[in-house]
Amino acid sequence: YSFLFLLLILFSLNSCISQKLVHGNLPDAELVSILKVGIDSKKSTSEILGEPTFTGVLGDNSYYYVGTINSKLAFLDPKLDSQFILELNFDIS
């Protein structure tokens, strides 16, 4: 019975460990560093970083990559730790 009790205690403690939850489209910093200002187009940017979270509207010639990092403890609601927005502007020509 003591072994079963020990397993129950370990399982209970494991469920209280904080978890990091990443949502959205956060490109890796190494991939972003590959981009060259004035050289890369929207197409090459999409090939390197993937499709943006959303694009500019009404003449805004930009790509936006948005993501959040949340922490969650057991059954509690997630807490927002940080939010990232990467805005890339392109020449119209």
Side-chain angles (χ1 to χ4, degrees), residues 21-93:
L21 307 171
V22 178
H23 296 281
N25 185 5
L26 293 173
D28 188 74
E30 289 181 23
L31 292 176
V32 175
S33 69
I34 294 172
L35 298 175
K36 303 291 183 225
V37 175
I39 296 175
D40 282 302
S41 64
K42 286 183 173 183
K43 182 179 179 187
S44 64
T45 299
S46 293
E47 290 171 355
I48 294 170
L49 301 181
E51 290 299 315
T53 306
F54 59 93
T55 59
V57 293
L58 302 174
D60 180 10
N61 205 23
S62 303
Y63 276 2
Y64 297 90
Y65 293 86
V66 180
T68 60
I69 299 176
N70 300 311
S71 60
K72 181 172 172 53
L73 181 62
F75 57 86
L76 300 175
D77 290 334
K79 181 185 123 232
L80 179 63
D81 287 336
S82 54
Q83 181 173 8
F84 299 95
I85 301 172
L86 173 63
E87 177 185 8
L88 301 174
N89 298 303
F90 298 91
D91 290 336
I92 294 174
S93 56

